[in-house]
Amino acid sequence: MQQRIQDLVQSLRRRLERMLVAPSLLELVARWRRLRRQVEDYFRDPEHQLFAAIVLAALLLRVSYLDLIPFGRLQVEQLDAALQIVAALRFPLAGSSNTAGAVQPPLMAYVLTLPLLFGRDPRIAATFLALLNVAAIVDLYSLARRHYGLRVAALSAGLLSVAPWSVLAARNIAPMALFLPIGIFWLHALFIALVEHKPWGWVASCVLLALLLYLSFAAIPLLVLFGALILLYPRRVRWLEVMVGISMGGVLFLPYLYYENLRRFADLRLILTEMAHNARLLELHVANLRAALWAHSGQGLEGLMRPASEPFGLGQGAFFWLSRLQGWLFVLAIPTVSALALLAWARWRERQDSYKYVVLAIWLWLPLLAPFLFATTFDQAGPTPESLASIYPAGFLALGITLDRLLRLLERSIIARRWWGPFLRLLTLLFCFALVAWGGYEVTYLVGYVGHNDVTAGYGVPYRFWRRTANLVRREVLAAPTDQVWVYAEGWDVERDEQPMVLNYLLAPRVRAIFFRGGTIGGQAGDTAPAMFLPAARPGLYLFLRPEPLVEESLRQLGGQSVGEVLFPDERTAHLQFVAARTVDEALESIQVRGLWALDSGLRLVGYDWPPRALPGTSAPLITYWTFVNVPSDVYENEQRIFAYLSDPEGNLKAQCSGSGLPERYWEPGYLLKQWCLLAVPAELPAGDYYALVGLERLVDGNRSLYIDDQGHPLGEAIPLGPLSVGR
């Protein structure tokens, strides 16, 4: 033993010495020639050429046109969680919610930390996920080549490499993008454990299954599959290795279980409730079969192409029958693999290992016999191809086995001895090639269709349009110069609303995006109380993703210039306006009534615009101007609203409005806020003088801020403004 150790040390020392010696030019040329010969010899083999073609097709379809990947709330949630790990080492205890509303484990965030080390661009993360999926296809080819033969490997990997639903999942920054790679690696680990009888395969299979469960609750059916295999093959189980694997997997779940314990396992109880509810729905059996058929044949893609007006060409035409035939081949694959499993089980004396068919048969029958196990991935319309991503590894492997058996039948049966037998085999091979070619065309057509049509209701908004908007903002921020943009989008909450979430992720950290909101005023549905920052001591960049007429009219009066726009596929336009900076005095000069009134919440009213008279039955616009000084922390924690009342001299309320166009998180010193409010004067209001009062109240309980003097003494709950003369 000592001599072996010495020999090993000497060998390592010699290798290290050779590595430290710089090679000469002749040695480099010799190495290059030797490497080139090895590559040429490798690709002279037709099998290697076929394998390279499959990998190249899978790679090109998954990494091309990555600016057309869907990019919305789900994708930003995953990237934001991973970014917290990269930037602040804040490891999430839980991930995003699934379609049932249950919070899932956070494995996706941990995985995305790797691509985020190289940049925030979503295309980097999408490329990383796509490469993982390509690696999984390589592993599937290797697995099938070893245990089923070359033809099964080529057919299975070839069909999977061009499968439209698989390509869409691989390009999407969502948990399902990892399901196929980990699922195929898990299948390979099971083969290593049960067929090759290697103990470490049990450890790997338990850990990979734990990773699948830590990724998504969609892996629950695979847990049932694993238990069924242990029951069917108890003599092959290495219990020590299984316990080690379970222990390692259990460690992964400790943070999530801690999170669930704080919530009294509400999400796990919700999952069980959802499964129990769906267990009573008999129609799920047929719905699951249809979704699985679509997932393996590329059908059902038109459901993503909504609400495009241009016809979706893949659902019609002369070649659509190829998708239908592939779907029925998948249906045929289920009984075929089941029959092969029973046949291998019956011939155990001939040393035929039934496992390689049994695992596929159980895997494929699960969505048909126990569809409720997949309920955690259903959307409101029921099962979808995305919800059955957990059966992709078994499904495409079964497709390859079925086509291989069909070709064997044509080669070895009486048909082979007929004169037309070779032609039939040739047609079958051409059919297999046509399936792969049609799948590649489907993906190419789909990507082109997404880039030129409105598919926001199904596929989502492609990243291309958000990237153009972000690039426009960044360019103008540098030209202004400023460090922020003021945005009017659909929603304002950067933790909940899709448009603010997307823009905040793409613009941060170099550009600060401030999102404005509108509130209901006057009790009239559809009315809003818009607000805007005036360009006081700083230039103003205003990005509009929704119409805001009062703000846009105000910008026109300030001399605003349109500096660019982006047309979205749903015909919505994102346009950017620029207003040059003004001094504070210049900004205040346009206010009709100037002054300084203070609230104890840190708001300072510096003036207002108020019409001297109004007619009954009309609206009196009240425009107030605010700054922020020493806002208390409890104001930021609760939603506030600015209210305005119209009252008579006795204090009787006659009209009111409320709303706050600026979220509390942005109430900071240095801004001059212009807030609109529309007071509806009642038609029956008698002529006379009336008075407006403005203030601030907390939305959750109606608690009002106090109007205070210079010494901080309270003067009331509202600031009195000038009179309004109402007459006919």
Side-chain angles (χ1 to χ4, degrees):
M1 177 62 71
Q2 185 176 2
Q3 183 62 36
R4 288 185 178 180
I5 294 175
Q6 292 178 353
D7 294 341
L8 179 61
V9 171
Q10 292 294 332
S11 176
L12 292 175
R13 182 179 298 172
R14 287 193 296 270
R15 290 189 178 185
L16 183 60
E17 290 175 351
R18 287 197 298 269
M19 291 174 60
L20 294 177
V21 176
S24 64
L25 180 60
L26 293 177
E27 289 176 333
L28 289 175
V29 172
R31 289 181 185 180
W32 164 251
R33 290 177 177 175
R34 185 164 57 252
L35 177 62
R36 188 179 64 181
R37 284 196 301 268
Q38 291 174 351
V39 173
E40 290 175 351
D41 292 341
Y42 179 86
F43 283 106
R44 286 195 184 99
D45 189 337
E47 178 183 346
H48 295 161
Q49 295 173 4
L50 177 62
F51 171 71
I54 292 172
V55 174
L56 183 62
L59 184 64
L60 290 178
L61 292 177
R62 284 162 177 78
V63 301
S64 58
Y65 293 102
L66 287 177
D67 60 337
L68 291 175
I69 61 174
F71 196 66
R73 175 179 176 176
L74 174 61
Q75 290 74 27
V76 175
E77 284 179 347
Q78 311 300 329
L79 292 170
D80 267 337
L83 196 62
Q84 293 298 318
I85 301 175
V86 174
L89 293 179
R90 293 173 55 186
F91 295 89
L93 299 178
S96 58
S97 300
N98 63 5
T99 54
V103 179
Q104 301 190 108
L107 178 63
M108 187 67 179
Y110 296 142
V111 173
L112 288 177
T113 56
L114 296 175
L116 284 182
L117 293 173
F118 299 93
R120 296 169 57 103
D121 194 324
R123 291 173 296 182
I124 300 176
T127 301
F128 175 73
L129 295 174
L131 292 177
L132 283 179
N133 278 264
V134 173
I137 293 174
V138 172
D139 191 46
L140 180 67
Y141 181 94
S142 173
L143 172 66
R145 178 71 178 88
R146 180 179 180 86
H147 295 282
Y148 299 98
L150 172 60
R151 193 155 56 192
V152 174
L155 290 170
S156 301
L159 291 173
L160 179 58
S161 66
V162 300
W165 288 104
S166 172
V167 173
L168 289 177
R171 293 162 56 90
N172 194 2
I173 306 174
M176 286 304 168
L178 286 176
F179 217 101
L180 178 67
I182 303 179
I184 290 177
F185 299 152
W186 179 65
L187 177 63
H188 201 159
L190 287 176
F191 269 79
I192 293 173
L194 284 166
V195 179
E196 301 178 19
H197 306 286
K198 295 181 179 179
W200 66 268
W202 288 105
V203 179
S205 60
C206 290
V207 172
L208 288 169
L209 180 57
L211 288 175
L212 284 169
L213 290 168
Y214 205 56
L215 173 68
S216 169
F217 293 129
I220 291 177
L222 303 185
L223 183 62
V224 176
L225 171 62
F226 188 66
L229 292 175
I230 289 179
L231 292 176
L232 288 173
Y233 299 95
R235 294 185 179 180
R236 301 189 186 187
V237 179
R238 301 293 292 267
W239 291 105
L240 178 60
E241 284 75 10
V242 169
M243 295 306 298
V244 171
I246 292 176
S247 301
M248 294 173 65
V251 172
L252 293 174
F253 270 88
L254 289 179
Y256 181 72
L257 291 176
Y258 171 76
Y259 169 82
E260 283 297 319
N261 182 55
L262 296 177
R263 293 164 51 89
R264 299 192 176 185
F265 298 94
D267 300 299
L268 299 181
R269 286 188 282 108
L270 178 60
I271 292 170
L272 295 177
T273 302
E274 191 73 16
M275 288 184 177
H277 169 72
N278 284 276
R280 297 189 294 269
L281 301 178
L282 298 178
E283 62 270 18
L284 280 182
H285 299 273
V286 177
N288 257 15
L289 177 61
R290 182 181 65 249
L293 183 150
W294 287 359
H296 291 83
S297 63
Q299 298 181 62
L301 292 170
E302 60 275 4
L304 296 177
M305 305 299 114
R306 296 179 285 113
S309 57
E310 180 181 331
F312 185 61
L314 294 182
Q316 53 193 355
F319 291 98
F320 183 64
W321 60 271
L322 285 171
S323 295
R324 292 182 178 274
L325 282 177
Q326 186 171 340
W328 287 111
L329 273 174
F330 170 75
V331 175
L332 178 63
I334 299 175
T336 299
V337 172
S338 303
L340 290 173
L342 292 174
L343 187 63
W345 195 292
R347 295 181 177 178
W348 62 273
R349 294 180 183 275
E350 300 177 14
R351 296 185 178 276
Q352 290 196 22
D353 199 330
S354 61
Y355 165 77
K356 61 183 184 179
Y357 299 114
V358 170
V359 63
L360 301 182
I362 299 176
W363 203 331
L364 294 175
W365 278 108
L366 273 176
L368 304 181
L369 299 181
F372 61 91
L373 293 174
F374 298 80
T376 59
T377 60
F378 294 168
D379 60 17
Q380 295 180 352
T384 61
E386 298 103 316
S387 65
L388 295 180
S390 58
I391 68 170
Y392 283 2
F396 284 97
L397 197 51
L399 270 175
I401 292 172
T402 302
L403 287 171
D404 175 64
R405 290 289 168 168
L406 180 60
L407 289 170
R408 286 191 187 186
L409 180 66
L410 296 177
E411 291 171 351
R412 300 179 183 179
S413 65
I414 192 173
I415 298 175
R417 295 192 291 271
R418 302 288 185 178
W419 65 269
W420 41 268
F423 295 100
L424 188 57
R425 290 198 302 274
L426 178 61
L427 286 176
T428 306
L429 288 173
L430 290 176
F431 170 70
C432 296
F433 176 78
L435 289 180
V436 176
W438 173 247
Y441 173 77
E442 283 183 301
V443 175
T444 305
Y445 179 89
L446 177 66
V447 171
Y449 189 91
V450 165
H452 296 89
N453 293 275
D454 177 15
V455 293
T456 53
Y459 181 86
V461 179
Y463 169 65
R464 169 184 293 176
F465 302 97
W466 291 119
R467 180 174 60 87
R468 289 174 179 173
T469 304
N471 288 342
L472 170 64
V473 171
R474 280 192 288 262
R475 183 178 68 245
E476 295 304 324
V477 162
L478 291 175
T482 183
D483 63 347
Q484 55 192 260
V485 62
W486 304 329
V487 186
Y488 297 86
E490 297 294 341
W492 58 271
D493 192 339
V494 295
E495 297 177 356
R496 182 185 58 193
D497 300 323
E498 179 168 292
Q499 290 186 5
M501 290 176 68
V502 171
L503 286 172
N504 187 66
Y505 176 83
L506 294 179
L507 294 175
R510 296 182 180 178
V511 179
R512 186 188 186 196
I514 296 179
F515 297 90
F516 287 82
R517 67 184 175 202
T520 301
I521 63 172
Q524 301 178 13
D527 288 340
T528 56
M532 65 176 290
F533 283 146
L534 294 176
R538 71 174 76 209
L541 270 180
Y542 303 83
L543 177 64
F544 295 90
L545 285 92
R546 59 176 168 87
E548 199 61 78
L550 292 176
V551 177
E552 294 178 65
E553 175 61 22
S554 183
L555 292 180
R556 187 187 65 80
Q557 297 173 2
L558 292 171
Q561 302 174 358
S562 178
V563 292
E565 63 180 24
V566 176
L567 180 63
F568 278 69
D570 57 356
E571 299 184 356
R572 181 178 73 251
T573 301
H575 63 277
L576 188 66
Q577 293 196 39
F578 169 76
V579 180
R582 297 184 172 192
T583 65
V584 175
D585 290 336
E586 289 175 341
L588 294 175
E589 282 178 358
S590 61
I591 302 176
Q592 292 179 6
V593 180
R594 296 172 59 180
L596 185 61
W597 300 268
L599 297 176
D600 65 352
S601 57
L603 272 71
R604 300 291 187 270
L605 178 66
V606 297
Y608 60 90
D609 297 340
W610 181 232
R613 62 184 60 86
L615 295 175
T618 62
S619 297
L622 172 62
I623 304 175
T624 52
Y625 299 85
W626 304 85
T627 59
F628 310 96
V629 179
N630 298 325
V631 178
S633 59
D634 63 320
V635 173
Y636 294 110
E637 296 170 358
N638 298 280
E639 186 174 346
Q640 315 283 333
R641 62 183 177 186
I642 297 172
F643 66 84
Y645 293 156
L646 183 66
S647 66
D648 59 18
E650 289 74 28
N652 299 315
L653 178 65
K654 299 301 180 181
Q656 63 179 337
C657 68
S658 64
S660 177
L662 180 67
E664 294 73 25
R665 70 175 64 193
Y666 306 120
W667 290 10
E668 302 170 3
Y671 293 114
L672 179 57
L673 177 70
K674 182 178 182 180
Q675 174 73 58
W676 279 267
C677 190
L678 195 64
L679 283 166
V681 180
E684 67 280 2
L685 192 67
D689 289 339
Y690 296 85
Y691 298 88
L693 297 96
V694 297
L696 185 73
E697 63 183 3
R698 195 161 53 199
L699 192 60
V700 66
D701 56 9
N703 186 42
R704 295 181 178 179
S705 298
L706 295 177
Y707 168 39
I708 58 176
D709 59 16
D710 294 340
Q711 285 73 39
H713 300 141
L715 301 176
E717 293 183 341
I719 302 171
L721 305 182
L724 174 70
S725 178
V726 176
R728 300 191 181 276

